Amino acid sequence: MTQDLSFIHRFEKGVSTAAPLLLLHGTGGDENDLLSLGKALAPDRSLLSPRGKVLENGMPRFFQRLAEGIFDEQDVIKRAHELADFIVEAGKAYKLSKPIAVGFSNGANIAGAMLLLRPEVLTGAVLLRAMVPLAKPPQANLAQKPVLIISGASDPIIPASNAALLATMLKNTHADVQHETLPTGHNLTQNDVTLASKWLNR
Ligand code: MLT
């Protein structure tokens, strides 16, 4: 754990000069959670993994929600900017190029919000079990930024229509979106790792 920048985080330097991965955990996770996923996806890349600053019954998250799937959008906006500022700060501190966000669940949702509000801080994103983070985002231009969305067909938290709407929303900003749906629920599977690592290394 490192706390000298504005988020508690872990940083692991990789040997590759390819874009580092920004790992964003789900509700109740922390900066350690997705390090093994990051290494499985791209063993050579640098990994930057912050801990969400919001606590819900003691569980770290990246923004507040009013109920499951119902977001406090003012907080989503504030926290997306805060995290985007951290990416810039960490980029200078560790001499990193713009990262590719790899977010799971709540981490995918804050990554989606950053794509819509601060697209310039990310090279692209892998959104695992993501939903629409903002009902009426400002008009953004993602200029062919690559985005992979992987949904679960039987995800009890995220209706298929919501994940599809997120894909459409991002396509409308001119992102280069690939949306895949796996025969699984909310949790990650080996198929997620296989798909995402292929996409990252294409
Ligand atoms: C969220 O709050 O971001 C989503 O409901 C996913 C979750 O964290 O459970």
Side-chain angles (χ1 to χ4, degrees):
M1 170 175 122
T2 312
Q3 198 168 11
D4 48 350
L5 303 180
S6 60
F7 274 71
I8 295 172
H9 66 281
R10 292 272 304 264
F11 174 67
E12 299 211 352
K13 188 156 179 50
V15 291
S16 165
T17 54
L21 302 186
L22 173 76
L23 303 171
L24 301 169
H25 63 79
T27 301
D30 67 18
E31 67 279 14
N32 300 304
D33 258 40
L34 297 186
L35 288 173
S36 55
L37 174 67
K39 282 179 197 148
L41 291 177
D44 295 343
R45 296 193 194 217
S46 293
L47 305 175
L48 177 64
S49 186
R51 184 195 302 180
K53 287 189 180 186
V54 168
L55 284 180
E56 182 185 274
N57 302 322
M59 296 187 295
R61 286 175 50 84
F62 286 97
F63 57 82
Q64 288 178 22
R65 61 181 165 182
L66 308 174
E68 193 171 276
I70 303 176
F71 301 155
D72 174 345
E73 293 207 8
Q74 284 311 106
D75 197 59
V76 173
I77 293 168
K78 174 181 151 192
R79 302 291 176 179
H81 283 293
E82 200 175 62
L83 186 58
D85 291 342
F86 166 74
I87 294 171
V88 174
E89 185 190 8
K92 285 184 189 148
Y94 296 120
K95 300 192 178 18
L96 301 175
S97 57
K98 287 179 196 182
I100 296 176
V102 176
F104 167 63
S105 191
N106 181 245
N109 296 337
I110 195 71
M114 280 197 296
L115 282 172
L116 294 164
L117 296 168
R118 295 280 293 276
E120 73 283 358
V121 303
L122 296 173
T123 290
V126 177
L127 307 178
L128 304 165
R129 311 298 184 272
M131 55 198 292
V132 170
L134 293 166
K136 291 200 177 99
Q139 192 56 50
N141 183 357
L142 268 64
Q144 300 305 315
K145 224 174 260 298
V147 178
L148 173 65
I149 303 171
I150 309 182
S151 304
S154 51
D155 189 330
I157 298 176
I158 305 173
S161 57
N162 189 298
L165 181 58
L166 174 65
T168 302
M169 216 175 221
L170 290 169
K171 280 179 193 159
N172 288 343
T173 67
H174 310 293
D176 175 7
V177 179
Q178 181 178 335
H179 184 195
E180 305 286 347
T181 301
L182 296 175
T184 184
H186 196 68
N187 289 340
L188 296 182
T189 65
Q190 185 55 42
N191 285 341
D192 287 277
V193 178
T194 307
L195 254 179
S197 70
K198 255 195 210 147
W199 181 88
L200 276 169
N201 299 306
R202 68 194 166 157

